[in-house]
Amino acid sequence: MARLSVVVLRSGMVMLTRRAPDLWGFPGGEPAPGETAADAAKRFLREQFGVEGEPGDAVPGGILVTKVAGKPTPADGREIAWVEARRLLEREISPDERPAAEAVAAHRRRDRYQGTHPKTFAHKYKELAGDPEAVAKAKARGSTPAGGHVSIMVAEVLAALEPLSGAVVLDCTLGAGGHAAELARRGARVVGLDRDGEELARTRERLAESGLKVETVKTDYSGAKGALRSLGLDAVDALFADLGVSSMQLDRPERGMSFKNDGPLDMRMDRSRGETAAQWLARATAAEIADVLRRYGDEPDAERVAAVLKAHPPKTTAALASAVATAKGLGPGRVKKRDAFSAHPAARTFQALRLQVNDERHSLEALLAALPSLLKPDGRAAFLTFHSGEERLVKGALDAQAAAGVWRCAPAAPLKPSPAETRDNPRSRSARLWTVVRRPPAEARTPATGA
Ligand SMILES: C[S@@+](CC[C@H](N)C(=O)[O-])C[C@H]1O[C@@H](n2cnc3c(N)ncnc32)[C@H](O)[C@@H]1O
């Protein structure tokens, strides 16, 4: 099982333990089977140092703990030292702890805004840096903490894909690995796909730390069949797709996906290929832009918005939001949401451009077309959709396949998240869960069913 580092921070100081002569490292040990990395971190601190800690986000190879109650005393006679976090790299740190040390030194160097009128994204959304207090505060005010993906309708998805023990499950949209981890915990062999290599690397590391086995492939899910073949598989017992983007992608300004704050107008899920949204806007005609805004965003002011975008192609998310406001006659200063329930005036434009840049429609169409061949007889599929365009595609394909005899019955009306889930995680509001079950082979069907 992977060794875990526990990085303890307090008031700009970080706790080190000396393990080998002259080499310092963070406290750590082995997570117990089935124990999460965060729970293991809490247990180490209690057992080895007699303190209570509150684990926050992961750093490379470790778990960051920023709140510690009590004075740490090592249980086994090892030395401990508190070192200024910004001077951490001056110490002789054990080479395998170096990546974590670099991340921690950078973490503390970050500028911490203490005032009441935050202007930058990092100041406004402190939870993005894993500040546990900020995460708790964001949850308490009914928001989804920035940067941390909260998996949606997990219990409903697991129930739809049962039985899981011993089943081979394809998670087409691994993201932060939330659903995949739960599937693996229930004894499934999980294969996880994602086209975003940057987040995939983080997710692989997190899953390995928690001791959960998920086989991962960096690919667009339109290539699901090839990904399965590369693992020696032909079809699976269950398939899941949680469509769209993750909170990590949405909340990182450098990914350029959100109007929440300023960043380069990129929007690609896979930044290693393809055109950015800014490049596409600079190249497309006003008619092409208007068509995309109408088709993928149901934007009522498509022509007016397209004309403004073509006249001055934006290069940043703030410039895009401002251009949409201008086109709608709101004035560049009035680009904010009116209240918690109204949509941002630029929301439809952002959604439409993201779908265009990532060719989301064609990827989903290809996955839906391949679905019957990806599932074994009696296999189950579950799709989480988040907007009307996705709903139309999923419902249309599943209905047509049901009519062709692929599914046991036509897909039922989709399930919605519970009121408690939408209260705790506002990003779940628009989720709809669609499920179908593959028919058994023809010879196994009884004539009485007429099948
Ligand atoms: C909503 S998130 C999934 C979250 C995940 N279920 C969890 O609980 O952590 C969607 C993920 O699907 C990925 N994705 C979107 N479209 C994709 C495509 N066509 N092929 C592969 N991955 C895709 C995104 O990069 C993102 O990481």
Side-chain angles (χ1 to χ4, degrees):
M1 194 161 292
R3 192 184 164 278
L4 182 80
S5 299
V6 184
V7 183
V8 184
L9 283 165
R10 184 156 65 182
S11 312
M13 306 292 280
V14 58
M15 189 172 99
L16 294 182
T17 60
R18 203 204 292 263
R19 297 213 200 86
D22 299 327
L23 275 187
W24 292 90
F26 304 112
E30 309 289 320
E35 190 176 40
T36 65
D39 285 344
K42 269 177 113 159
R43 185 172 53 75
F44 298 148
L45 290 178
R46 194 177 315 111
E47 289 174 3
Q48 298 180 17
F49 302 97
V51 290
E52 289 300 324
E54 237 178 68
D57 257 12
V59 288
I63 288 281
L64 198 65
V65 177
T66 49
K67 275 195 157 184
V68 197
K71 188 169 175 292
T73 333
D76 60 1
R78 280 182 302 182
E79 240 183 296
I80 59 168
W82 284 98
V83 179
E84 258 188 278
R86 66 192 171 87
R87 308 194 66 169
L88 188 54
L89 299 176
E90 294 167 18
R91 288 274 171 157
E92 286 265 14
I93 302 267
S94 149
D96 54 324
E97 310 243 330
R98 193 86 191 164
E102 280 166 7
V104 173
H107 172 83
R108 296 311 294 180
R109 270 205 302 275
R110 245 189 31 259
D111 162 29
R112 309 288 289 183
Y113 178 80
Q114 303 296 339
T116 50
H117 295 88
K119 286 201 171 60
T120 71
F121 190 84
H123 287 154
K124 196 166 166 189
Y125 299 102
K126 289 183 186 161
E127 67 269 28
L128 195 59
D131 180 340
E133 224 172 298
V135 170
K137 274 190 193 160
K139 283 189 178 164
R141 67 172 179 264
S143 310
T144 303
H149 189 84
V150 182
S151 300
I152 289 171
M153 298 183 75
V154 176
E156 293 88 341
V157 168
L158 294 174
L161 300 180
E162 284 282 358
L164 290 167
S165 182
V168 181
V169 184
L170 179 65
D171 181 346
C172 299
T173 50
L174 184 65
H179 290 99
E182 292 306 322
L183 292 163
R185 279 195 188 99
R186 279 155 185 80
R189 172 180 173 188
V190 185
V191 175
L193 314 181
D194 206 296
R195 71 201 300 198
D196 180 345
E198 297 167 65
E199 287 302 333
L200 185 60
R202 294 193 186 103
T203 299
R204 270 191 198 125
E205 202 174 313
R206 260 198 318 273
L207 287 168
E209 270 166 15
S210 39
L212 290 167
K213 187 161 183 276
V214 173
E215 292 159 84
T216 59
V217 183
K218 178 187 178 289
T219 178
D220 190 297
Y221 52 53
S222 57
K225 195 78 186 169
L228 285 184
R229 288 213 180 105
S230 73
L231 298 171
L233 294 164
D234 184 45
V236 294
D237 300 294
L239 178 148
F240 171 57
D242 178 4
L243 301 176
V245 283
S246 68
S247 297
M248 292 88 65
Q249 293 166 327
L250 267 181
D251 290 340
R252 293 198 190 282
E254 67 271 22
R255 305 298 303 255
M257 293 210 188
S258 167
F259 40 77
K260 255 186 167 180
N261 230 301
D262 202 11
L265 189 55
D266 191 317
M267 293 198 175
R268 289 169 302 165
M269 290 188 212
D270 177 357
R271 285 200 285 177
S272 68
R273 64 179 67 197
E275 262 182 331
T276 67
Q279 287 165 339
W280 184 77
L281 283 173
R283 169 176 79 74
T285 64
E288 285 166 341
I289 298 172
D291 181 50
V292 161
L293 298 185
R294 255 192 319 269
R295 264 192 303 135
Y296 295 159
D298 293 323
E299 171 55 63
D301 300 316
E303 271 75 24
R304 272 192 287 155
V305 174
V308 173
L309 295 182
K310 202 53 230 172
H312 303 285
K315 291 197 171 61
T316 65
T317 52
L320 174 60
S322 183
V324 175
T326 304
K328 287 177 175 282
L330 296 170
R334 296 193 43 213
V335 290
K336 292 206 170 78
K337 285 167 69 152
R338 270 174 289 125
D339 53 56
F341 302 99
S342 66
H344 188 286
R348 289 172 183 278
T349 298
F350 271 79
Q351 175 184 298
L353 291 178
R354 194 200 81 209
L355 264 76
Q356 166 66 23
V357 164
N358 293 289
D359 202 10
E360 290 184 39
R361 181 192 174 106
H362 294 113
S363 290
L364 182 54
E365 279 174 345
L367 175 65
L368 289 163
L371 186 59
S373 75
L374 292 168
L375 281 178
K376 292 181 191 167
D378 290 322
R380 285 150 198 271
F383 286 83
L384 270 176
T385 60
F386 292 88
H387 57 81
S388 57
E390 287 172 350
E391 284 173 19
R392 280 195 294 269
L393 280 184
V394 171
K395 180 170 170 25
L398 298 184
D399 278 344
Q401 289 165 353
V406 174
W407 310 119
R408 282 203 189 149
C409 54
L415 286 180
K416 294 182 185 177
S418 67
E421 178 162 7
T422 52
R423 190 194 54 228
D424 289 350
N425 179 14
R427 283 183 185 167
S428 69
R429 262 184 224 142
S430 54
R432 299 289 177 268
L433 180 64
W434 306 80
T435 56
V436 278
V437 182
R438 188 99 167 78
R439 276 197 178 197
E443 59 272 23
R445 287 181 229 145
T446 59
T449 63

